[in-house]
Amino acid sequence: MDADVVIAGAGPNGLMLACELRLAGVRPIVLERLPEASEVPRANGLVGQVVRMLDRRGLYERLSGTPGPPQPQPRYMFGAFPLDLSTIEPNPVYMLPVPQRRIEEVLQQRALELGAEIRRGHELIGFAQDTDSVTVEISGPDGPYHVTARYLVGADGGRSLTRKLAGIDFPGITNDTMVSRTANAQVPLEYVDPGTGALSIPGYGVIPGLMHHRTERGLFLYGQLPGRPPVVSTGEFDVPPEGPMTLEELQDSVDRVLGVHLPLTPPDGDGPHLLRRVVGGNSRLADRFREGRVLLVGDAAHVHSAIGGPGLNLGLQDTVNLGWKLAAELQGWAPDGLLDSYESERRPVGQRVVMQTQAQSALIAPGNDVTRLRELFGELLTEPRNVQRIADLITGADICYHDGPHPLIGRWAPDLMVDGTRLAELMRTGRPLLLDLTPEAPFAAGVTSEASYAATVARDRVDVVAGRGESPIALLIRPDGYVAWAAEQDGVAEQDGLRDALARWFGVPQERPLTSATR
């Protein structure tokens, strides 16, 4: 075998998967058709659970450039409605306003540090698979060649050739009624509130910064992130002109949507600057995420409206869910059905993102009937419990992969402190973690006991940490940050549940000793 895994695509999802596989001791080769990273502005940052996941891999500070853990945001938006997040607890809305090209740069740097091989200018053009391997045909700078690997993962975007060649259907809808125009552009400085970033437009009124604003004629957004030129965007339901997008076209669109003139001028600096027109959009979900030894992540598996910025949150969490499971399969210790749980867990999450982005698109459409719907929806958002539900939905904080006797089972592990150390710091290795904060730490002691542990689960796969925290709780946490088992006191039932969870997720015993630590 030339590699354990070939990953088609060196965008954020492909690079993150390479990092996860290398943390687990797997050898990936990443193929990318572009010889250099694209300078075209794309996503403006990350929002949702993925921000906390990156913190648990030690990548948040690299990306943010600031020390300390991420903090929740006081406000966000849904369907051009402002969400006051100060009324809810816990607030799950975390943001990381970093351009996609910087995200790719940091993830590539980390993948290379971990020993991943990245081949730029090399493009997947075909593959053949059998029961044991995948032979990938590649077009490279020196001509065609092939690589044999145990698995192939398509991280090659919405038009994924991997998906098409695997024969995986991509059902959904195409909406060609909306035209989105976006550009870096300056507005008159006297219109901008330097404290809040809001626009005060003569003849119209105040529009909050970095928030979608709906009118009867379309959608408008203005915002400026630190260190970057301002962005102006519109969404209209019309027929666009032919030819390249221009700033004058955006100017006309802004004036139509707002019904008043908002002067736009080119941004300062050399760029590259954003100037983009997108007609319509797709909402599609692959009918399966796996075909034999071929798997899909990110946009290769699902595409949807970009409203609310859910794409990278969804795709990067695909990769963190898949990475450890694929490594377990390759290393021969995966319990039955573990790799299949990637699709059974992540496909429903993709389905919910498609649902909520379609709902947001309906709420921003023009027309008096939509205005009436928005009046009702606005009333619902005066209730904190409804704001909580929407915030959980758009961030992925409502994910529960499986139920159990404790309410935390299947959910994101809370950000606990252990003897002054954050849980995020204990998860940097990407390994499963048994965390025992109960008095006398009986669960940690039971697992590290040779007699009991050897009969239940592999001894070299789980880190064990015993210590003190705010709550006397014990958690078995999967590498992707989700709770596999939880208990708050010792007892036969709890010990049995722990043994069952260890066997379910991390397999059967080996001979090497368990990694453990006591704090």
Side-chain angles (χ1 to χ4, degrees), residues 1 16 88 217 232 242 245 262 357 368 469 476 504 511:
M1 295 286 174
M16 187 70 189
I88 64 174
R217 297 165 296 277
V232 177
E242 296 182 357
M245 167 79 172
L262 173 64
T357 53
N368 184 260
L476 177 63
R504 174 183 178 180
E511 295 183 356

Side-chain angles (χ1 to χ4, degrees), residues 9-220:
N13 297 319
L15 292 169
M16 187 70 189
L17 180 59
C19 292
E20 291 296 294
L21 292 173
R22 284 303 303 143
L23 282 173
V26 168
R27 300 175 300 129
I29 293 176
V30 184
L31 306 176
E32 173 53 55
R33 64 179 182 83
L34 297 176
E36 300 291 341
S38 174
E39 291 293 323
V40 177
R42 298 184 68 187
N44 290 313
L46 302 166
V47 60
Q49 293 289 86
V50 68
V51 177
R52 302 164 83 185
M53 186 67 247
L54 290 171
D55 183 38
R56 292 183 178 184
R57 291 295 186 266
L59 294 168
Y60 175 78
E61 289 191 12
R62 288 196 191 194
L63 286 162
S64 68
T66 58
Q71 300 297 320
Q73 299 297 302
R75 64 186 185 120
Y76 200 60
M77 54 190 170
F78 182 86
F81 283 95
L83 297 177
D84 180 5
L85 303 173
S86 66
T87 65
I88 64 174
E89 179 63 38
N91 176 1
V93 181
Y94 291 78
M95 293 178 62
L96 185 55
V98 177
Q100 181 166 327
R101 62 179 178 271
R102 175 58 181 162
I103 295 170
E104 292 179 2
E105 179 184 322
V106 169
L107 290 178
Q108 175 171 296
Q109 181 185 49
R110 179 57 174 157
L112 293 173
E113 288 173 2
L114 292 169
E117 181 178 351
I118 301 172
R119 300 182 182 181
R120 289 197 168 273
H122 295 250
E123 181 179 9
L124 176 146
I125 57 174
F127 66 81
Q129 63 171 314
D130 56 31
T131 56
D132 298 316
S133 65
V134 183
T135 300
V136 182
E137 299 174 39
I138 302 167
S139 174
D142 298 323
Y145 67 101
H146 69 268
V147 166
T148 302
R150 295 281 301 281
Y151 286 90
L152 167 65
V153 178
D156 46 350
R159 296 183 175 87
S160 171
L161 181 61
T162 307
R163 184 189 64 241
K164 294 173 183 176
L165 292 175
I168 298 175
D169 289 338
F170 204 38
I173 61 170
T174 297
N175 181 349
D176 57 2
T177 60
M178 186 171 185
V179 182
S180 174
R181 299 174 173 91
T182 306
N184 293 125
Q186 302 280 359
V187 302
L189 289 178
E190 61 270 22
Y191 289 11
V192 183
D193 184 320
T196 66
L199 284 184
S200 182
I201 304 173
Y204 188 86
V206 176
I207 298 176
L210 289 173
M211 300 286 286
H212 288 126
H213 177 75
R214 177 193 177 264
T215 75
E216 289 282 359
R217 297 165 296 277
L219 199 67
F220 173 82

Side-chain angles (χ1 to χ4, degrees), residues 174-181 236 238-241 249 276-282:
T174 297
N175 181 349
D176 57 2
T177 60
M178 186 171 185
V179 182
S180 174
R181 299 174 173 91
E236 288 187 278
D238 64 358
V239 178
E249 180 183 332
R276 180 176 65 208
R277 181 204 304 133
V278 178
V279 180
N282 290 307

Side-chain angles (χ1 to χ4, degrees), residues 180-409:
S180 174
R181 299 174 173 91
T182 306
N184 293 125
Q186 302 280 359
V187 302
L189 289 178
E190 61 270 22
Y191 289 11
V192 183
D193 184 320
T196 66
L199 284 184
S200 182
I201 304 173
Y204 188 86
V206 176
I207 298 176
L210 289 173
M211 300 286 286
H212 288 126
H213 177 75
R214 177 193 177 264
T215 75
E216 289 282 359
R217 297 165 296 277
L219 199 67
F220 173 82
L221 180 141
Y222 168 83
Q224 183 169 14
L225 295 170
R228 285 184 264 173
V231 171
V232 177
S233 180
T234 63
E236 288 187 278
F237 295 78
D238 64 358
V239 178
E242 296 182 357
M245 167 79 172
T246 64
L247 189 60
E248 290 74 19
E249 180 183 332
L250 177 62
Q251 175 72 77
D252 292 341
S253 178
V254 168
D255 294 350
R256 287 193 299 269
V257 168
L258 296 179
V260 299
H261 181 60
L262 173 64
L264 303 180
T265 56
D268 296 332
D270 296 330
H273 295 305
L274 182 61
L275 188 62
R276 180 176 65 208
R277 181 204 304 133
V278 178
V279 180
N282 290 307
S283 293
R284 298 185 179 277
L285 183 68
D287 66 0
R288 57 195 187 280
F289 285 11
R290 179 184 180 188
E291 177 60 35
R293 291 184 170 271
V294 180
L295 299 109
L296 305 176
V297 296
D299 288 356
H302 34 63
V303 295
H304 45 77
S305 168
I307 191 168
L312 288 177
N313 184 37
L314 179 60
L316 289 172
Q317 288 203 80
D318 284 350
T319 69
V320 177
N321 185 289
L322 175 61
W324 69 277
K325 297 174 181 178
L326 187 54
E329 190 74 20
L330 285 161
Q331 292 164 351
W333 58 261
D336 289 345
L338 181 66
L339 187 54
D340 288 335
S341 74
Y342 165 63
E343 178 179 324
S344 65
E345 291 183 346
R346 292 305 296 170
R347 193 173 184 278
V349 177
Q351 206 159 23
R352 283 183 66 76
V353 171
V354 170
M355 174 272 288
Q356 59 99 341
T357 53
Q358 285 183 313
Q360 291 192 69
S361 297
L363 286 168
I364 64 173
N368 184 260
D369 55 343
V370 176
T371 299
R372 302 288 82 80
L373 174 64
R374 290 180 62 83
E375 289 177 3
L376 173 60
F377 202 85
E379 290 181 10
L380 296 176
L381 289 179
T382 62
E383 293 285 339
R385 63 180 179 177
N386 293 331
V387 175
Q388 183 78 65
R389 185 159 184 175
I390 292 293
D392 289 345
L393 171 67
I394 61 179
T395 59
D398 61 348
I399 292 172
C400 183
Y401 286 138
H402 55 97
D403 295 326
H406 192 283
L408 283 177
I409 292 176

